[in-house]
Amino acid sequence: MKSFGYFKWMPYEDSTEEFDNYKQFINSIPKQRIIEHIEGLERWLTSLPGRDYFTGEPLQSGLYEDGDFVFPLDFLHYYKNYDIGIPYEYEEYLKKILK
Amino acid sequence: MVEQTDYGGKSTDLKDIEREVNAAFESTIRKAKQKPSLPAVAPVSVETAEPREQTAKQSLPGKAAAPDWEQGKKQLNMRGITPETMDFGSYTPPPVLRDYLRNIPAKQELESVAKSFADVHKLQSPRRESGGRGSRGGTFTPGSGTTFSGGRGGSFSGGNKYGRILSAPDFAYYSELGANIENPTYREADGYANIFGWRPGAKDINNIVTFSRDNWEKIANDEEERYPTIGRSIYRYMTQEEVDIYNYLLAKNGDTAAQEYLETLEEQLNYRFGTEVAGRVRGIDNDFLRTVGTEVYAVSAGMDTWGGGVRQAFSKEQLPTSPTQYGSAYIREDLRQDGNTAGLMAYDAIEAVSNIAPSILASYLLGPAAGAVVQGISATGNAYSEALDSGYSEEQAKNYAVLIGVSESALQYVLGGISKLGGVSSQQLLTKISGIENGLLRAAAALGIKGLSEVTEEELQLLLEPLYRSIVSGEDYDAPTVEEMVYTAVISFMMTGALESGEIASYARKQPANSVGFDFSQDDSWFGAGDASADEYAADARDKLTDISHRDIIKLQNGFARFPDGDPLNLNAQMVTPIENCFDVAMHGTPTAVAFGSENPNMSPRLLAAMILHNENYSGQSIRLLSCSTGKAIDGDYCFAEELANILGVEVLAPNMSLYISDRGELRVGKYSEGKFVKYMPNQRRRIR
């Protein structure tokens, strides 16, 4: 499995990624389409204490699993509210399934 | 065709000689009936031995079990002479019997042979344990007719093999010559130092027997205090005749021949030593001290049985029966003749406990499975030795020993009631009794479960032993008697009670939550902040009572959840499919604490245990913690789940990483499912006694 979106302030194990790196992803799939897709995925909730790094807003911890990809529930929050993209590899996967 | 030989004018007809042997046996048996006495020391004249007190106890008038001719034939059989060959009606002497009879030069020796046979018949077999305590060669089989094997075939007849030497014309000359061989003093033989057995400056001992007999007290002290010693104190139990033969061989044929002779005496000497010590124990006048001495002997006998089995398991040669085993057989026979059934049972139970004690020690170091294996190894060695004593070939004995060892280990681990050696089944059953509120009843239930598990294991082993004999030797299945099975059950139960008393008592102490000073009748009101009794109870620093929510818990299908209010995990937890006989407890968690209705850890295992016991739907089931990382043991420390298992006395399952619960109630441990639910058994580190 491949994971993404585990930013280094998140409470999960192996959260090491840089948030700024995701600002560089420019995706061709419309953002709303991607959000709708992710929101349709089954949520796996966990009890780790999650908060928005910038605002302190409480966030539900957990993960989404989509094909071979795993990413935290928090990622959707950041994707919705901040100007970041999704990794190209995941976008390629979405292009295949969102026809 | 009957072979003949010349014995100085005596009849040379083999049948006549055999009749003489027969008559000598019967004569001895008649004498034994007329003057019954325990045989341990009486027939042995030990010059240097302490004068043994011939107490009434040792004489045991009217109590000695007279040996019978059938037993004598069995003894001959052990020497390669079958009962058929002793049937005069169809007599066909095999070569081994011909050789045997040729080596008997005079009637005096025939009587000696017969006497030694008759002597040893009166004791029950010191046969070692093979397949667990159930087959302790008479230990669990009172009056089962187990015969004293006389140690080892051939060993006791060794003196007779050398009997001709006594009438050799040069006997007096060479035996005196050997006796006069000069030895160093004890100090000279000991040298200036003892460096791992190397004794710089030590002088050679030229006659080990005379040296050992001259210095036996010092050597005996050495044998207790240090290893290796010089000489052997047990040589003091040689008769003067045996010493003379040794001296003769040493002077005439050299050290090797003399040493071979000593080896043939080893069983006999062990027998004399063991029975003399046991005789002294049983001869103590004071009843209390005699009982104490007897039970102390049982402890050493049990450990000796274990050690002997292990040594035999790793030895190619059959090891001699130890003095302790002979002594133990003596004591058991004495108790039996006294009609002291309670004493005999106590002796057997103590011996059984001490026999298993070293394996329990191994389990502390290496785990329960290793303990069971160690016990199996000991059983293997003893079974091998026992099978050889019974006349099995080496191959048959090996096969029998392996079957016994494997089944002993496996049955003990799976079915046994000794928790230190596994007892997997009984541990499972014990998880069902936590719901019993009365401590005494709970302890009684624990004793019942453990005792019955051990009884089941031993009875099965008792039934399997003759089956294994049948498999390896083709003999008919010889089922144990009801008496043997009942006796085995009683001893097994006693042994289990003794070994598991600490753990059984802990079941009495594990009081339900409502008996530790709380009023649980007011639902969860006791649990609120500021509650005096709860404050008093929360001695654990992890318990932050002011942070614990006073709100209701969320009921699950079989358990409860208490995530923070509004946390969607409360809903997801309700979707989780319960597993049989498992009570689910769901809330935020860490490796050391859980968060009851909070995001921050605020509750210790002890307090959660009280909550669980208070829950009306909990009836002693195992626990599944749906709480992150509560099963994660860091650096070998106790994790939350293990502590909870120890407190509740039930099995606890807990995730060793972050737990994820899907909207459909599915569970995964770790974001890649790389974690798992870890099972913690109560007291699995065996530290709670």
Side-chain angles (χ1 to χ4, degrees):
Chain A
M1 298 196 95
K2 301 164 188 172
S3 67
F4 66 86
Y6 285 93
F7 304 132
K8 59 185 180 184
W9 59 71
M10 291 180 174
Y12 311 97
E13 293 103 341
D14 304 325
S15 296
T16 56
E17 292 182 89
E18 292 289 344
F19 181 78
D20 287 348
N21 292 344
Y22 282 70
K23 293 179 180 174
Q24 297 164 16
F25 293 127
I26 308 297
N27 305 120
S28 57
I29 304 176
K31 193 162 191 165
Q32 191 56 37
R33 181 77 181 96
I34 293 173
I35 291 171
E36 286 173 4
H37 169 74
I38 293 176
E39 286 181 335
L41 297 172
E42 184 175 30
R43 298 179 309 162
W44 291 82
L45 307 185
T46 190
S47 60
L48 295 170
R51 293 193 180 279
D52 185 304
Y53 180 70
F54 304 103
T55 66
E57 174 191 356
L59 298 176
Q60 176 62 51
S61 297
L63 62 81
Y64 290 111
E65 183 179 334
D66 193 5
D68 285 340
F69 297 90
V70 175
F71 52 97
L73 293 186
D74 323 39
F75 178 80
L76 180 60
H77 166 79
Y78 289 108
Y79 185 67
K80 279 182 179 176
N81 296 288
Y82 299 92
D83 188 19
I84 59 172
I86 59 173
Y88 296 128
E89 198 175 356
Y90 181 54
E91 186 184 21
E92 289 303 310
Y93 164 76
L94 291 181
K95 284 178 182 174
K96 290 176 187 170
I97 64 169
L98 296 178
K99 290 178 182 174
Chain B
M1 184 66 185
V2 177
E3 293 189 19
Q4 296 182 348
T5 188
D6 183 8
Y7 285 116
K10 288 176 66 69
S11 170
T12 55
D13 186 286
L14 198 52
K15 281 191 176 179
D16 288 341
I17 295 173
E18 190 172 26
R19 286 193 187 94
E20 210 165 359
V21 175
N22 194 12
F25 267 107
E26 290 177 333
S27 169
T28 306
I29 291 166
R30 276 197 301 277
K31 288 177 188 171
K33 284 180 177 173
Q34 289 162 1
K35 295 180 67 179
S37 62
L38 277 176
V41 186
V44 181
S45 169
V46 184
E47 274 195 353
T48 57
E50 291 283 331
R52 198 174 65 83
E53 291 179 18
Q54 295 295 332
T55 64
K57 195 73 197 169
Q58 286 167 331
S59 297
L60 297 172
K63 288 194 295 183
D68 58 30
W69 174 232
E70 287 302 316
Q71 300 286 20
K73 284 205 287 189
K74 284 182 183 174
Q75 292 301 312
L76 287 174
N77 187 27
M78 288 178 57
R79 290 159 169 76
I81 304 167
T82 66
E84 286 74 23
T85 63
M86 299 303 292
D87 183 350
F88 297 157
S90 57
Y91 177 61
T92 308
V96 64
L97 180 56
R98 289 200 300 271
D99 293 342
Y100 176 70
L101 294 172
R102 272 183 186 150
N103 288 332
I104 301 175
K107 186 175 179 181
Q108 184 183 5
E109 286 220 22
L110 298 181
E111 287 182 335
S112 169
V113 172
K115 192 165 185 173
S116 76
F117 288 167
D119 286 342
V120 295
H121 295 162
K122 292 183 217 166
L123 290 182
Q124 289 290 312
S125 171
R127 197 172 67 192
R128 299 167 182 173
E129 171 191 15
S130 55
R133 273 77 52 210
S135 62
R136 181 191 298 280
T139 299
F140 278 23
T141 55
S144 61
T146 311
T147 57
F148 184 82
S149 63
R152 302 285 146 64
S155 296
F156 272 51
S157 64
N160 302 300
K161 177 185 172 186
Y162 290 93
R164 282 176 299 177
I165 291 173
L166 289 169
S167 53
D170 56 357
F171 179 75
Y173 172 75
Y174 278 108
S175 62
E176 188 176 351
L177 199 62
N180 291 329
I181 291 175
E182 193 173 345
N183 278 320
T185 64
Y186 182 80
R187 191 168 190 80
E188 289 170 340
D190 201 19
Y192 302 113
N194 183 356
I195 306 168
F196 299 108
W198 174 52
R199 301 171 191 273
K203 290 187 177 177
D204 289 339
I205 299 167
N206 301 311
N207 184 325
I208 188 70
V209 168
T210 54
F211 177 86
S212 298
R213 287 164 69 91
D214 289 343
N215 298 284
W216 76 267
E217 281 183 324
K218 292 173 186 165
I219 294 169
N221 287 335
D222 270 4
E223 285 170 348
E224 286 183 5
E225 294 170 5
R226 63 173 181 165
Y227 180 86
T229 57
I230 49 174
R232 292 191 66 192
S233 65
I234 204 167
Y235 292 148
R236 72 185 266 251
Y237 291 93
M238 290 171 70
T239 64
Q240 188 55 51
E241 209 169 64
E242 289 164 347
V243 173
D244 290 342
I245 292 173
Y246 172 82
N247 288 335
Y248 172 89
L249 290 168
L250 183 65
K252 186 176 182 182
N253 300 336
D255 189 57
T256 303
Q259 197 58 39
E260 283 176 5
Y261 173 66
L262 280 183
E263 286 171 10
T264 67
L265 293 179
E266 190 160 10
E267 286 280 342
Q268 184 82 301
L269 298 180
N270 286 350
Y271 167 77
R272 292 171 192 168
F273 174 41
T275 52
E276 191 203 61
V277 172
R280 286 180 181 173
V281 170
R282 296 302 298 159
I284 296 172
D285 285 336
N286 182 290
D287 288 346
F288 174 74
L289 293 179
R290 185 171 62 252
T291 302
V292 170
T294 300
E295 308 316 354
V296 167
Y297 200 97
V299 171
S300 75
M303 298 187 78
D304 182 82
T305 301
W306 181 88
V310 171
R311 284 194 298 276
Q312 182 64 73
F314 294 101
S315 172
K316 290 180 181 176
E317 304 295 327
Q318 187 182 16
L319 302 177
T321 307
S322 72
T324 306
Q325 292 306 310
Y326 280 117
S328 184
Y330 177 101
I331 287 178
R332 297 189 71 259
E333 182 59 20
D334 192 39
L335 289 166
R336 182 180 292 110
Q337 288 183 19
D338 272 344
N340 188 352
T341 306
L344 183 60
M345 291 171 76
Y347 183 87
D348 283 346
I350 291 171
E351 188 183 352
V353 167
S354 66
N355 172 261
I356 213 167
S359 301
I360 291 174
L361 178 64
S363 83
Y364 275 116
L365 301 173
L366 304 168
V373 169
V374 168
Q375 190 64 18
I377 290 171
S378 174
T380 300
N382 285 324
Y384 179 72
S385 191
E386 178 191 327
L388 290 177
D389 281 349
S390 300
Y392 285 18
S393 69
E394 284 189 13
E395 190 66 27
Q396 288 174 323
K398 278 180 190 169
N399 292 336
Y400 175 69
V402 168
L403 285 170
I404 288 290
V406 169
S407 71
E408 169 68 9
S409 293
L411 290 176
Q412 188 66 58
Y413 186 75
V414 176
L415 292 178
I418 311 299
S419 57
K420 284 83 180 175
L421 301 181
V424 176
S425 299
S426 62
Q427 294 292 338
Q428 291 289 330
L429 287 172
L430 286 167
T431 63
K432 312 296 180 191
I433 65 171
S434 298
I436 301 175
E437 291 202 356
N438 184 289
L440 286 178
L441 286 179
R442 205 164 47 243
L447 173 62
I449 289 171
K450 285 173 174 289
L452 288 176
S453 297
E454 186 62 18
V455 168
T456 304
E457 186 268 324
E458 290 293 352
E459 297 288 6
L460 196 53
Q461 191 73 12
L462 194 63
L463 291 166
L464 285 172
E465 265 188 63
L467 177 65
Y468 296 153
R469 287 178 175 275
S470 180
I471 290 170
V472 300
S473 70
E475 64 191 53
D476 291 339
Y477 181 81
D478 183 17
T481 64
V482 172
E483 185 188 13
E484 287 171 346
M485 297 194 73
V486 169
Y487 194 77
T488 296
V490 172
I491 299 298
S492 299
F493 212 94
M494 289 170 70
M495 181 186 73
T496 307
L499 283 172
E500 297 291 295
S501 57
E503 190 167 329
I504 288 166
S506 74
Y507 279 89
R509 291 193 298 270
K510 285 171 190 162
Q511 299 293 322
N514 60 3
S515 65
V516 293
F518 291 97
D519 177 10
F520 286 99
S521 61
Q522 301 302 312
D523 202 2
D524 62 350
S525 59
W526 62 275
F527 209 58
D531 185 288
S533 55
D535 279 337
E536 187 182 326
Y537 181 63
D540 194 306
R542 291 168 287 186
D543 294 326
K544 299 178 173 35
L545 298 178
T546 53
D547 291 342
I548 295 174
S549 167
H550 192 212
R551 304 297 176 82
D552 291 339
I553 56 172
I554 307 293
K555 190 175 183 312
L556 303 180
Q557 292 182 56
N558 188 13
F560 64 83
R562 195 62 186 93
F563 292 102
D565 293 340
D567 191 326
L569 270 166
N570 281 318
L571 298 176
N572 283 26
Q574 287 180 291
M575 301 299 292
V576 174
T577 305
I579 54 178
E580 194 176 0
N581 294 322
C582 215
F583 190 81
D584 287 329
V585 176
M587 60 190 71
H588 288 312
T590 71
T592 55
V594 291
F596 187 90
S598 167
E599 287 186 348
N600 301 313
N602 57 14
M603 187 177 279
S604 69
R606 190 159 169 249
L607 200 49
L608 181 62
M611 285 267 341
I612 292 169
L613 289 169
H614 176 57
N615 190 281
E616 60 185 6
N617 295 317
Y618 183 69
S619 55
Q621 307 98 310
S622 301
I623 301 292
R624 180 171 62 170
L625 287 173
L626 303 179
S627 303
C628 285
S629 305
T630 42
K632 181 179 183 179
I634 300 172
D635 297 332
D637 285 345
Y638 286 88
C639 64
F640 187 92
E642 186 173 3
E643 285 190 73
L644 188 64
N646 290 341
I647 294 164
L648 287 174
V650 302
E651 182 182 294
V652 174
L653 291 166
N656 62 354
M657 297 183 75
S658 295
L659 174 70
Y660 295 84
I661 306 175
S662 78
D663 295 334
R664 291 182 295 175
E666 297 166 297
L667 302 174
R668 70 190 289 165
V669 182
K671 65 182 176 188
Y672 303 119
S673 296
E674 71 272 35
K676 63 180 180 181
F677 274 89
V678 180
K679 180 193 294 184
Y680 290 93
M681 304 292 289
N683 194 22
Q684 67 180 23
R685 302 195 194 201
R686 311 293 175 210
R687 288 179 178 168
I688 301 171
R689 296 181 183 174

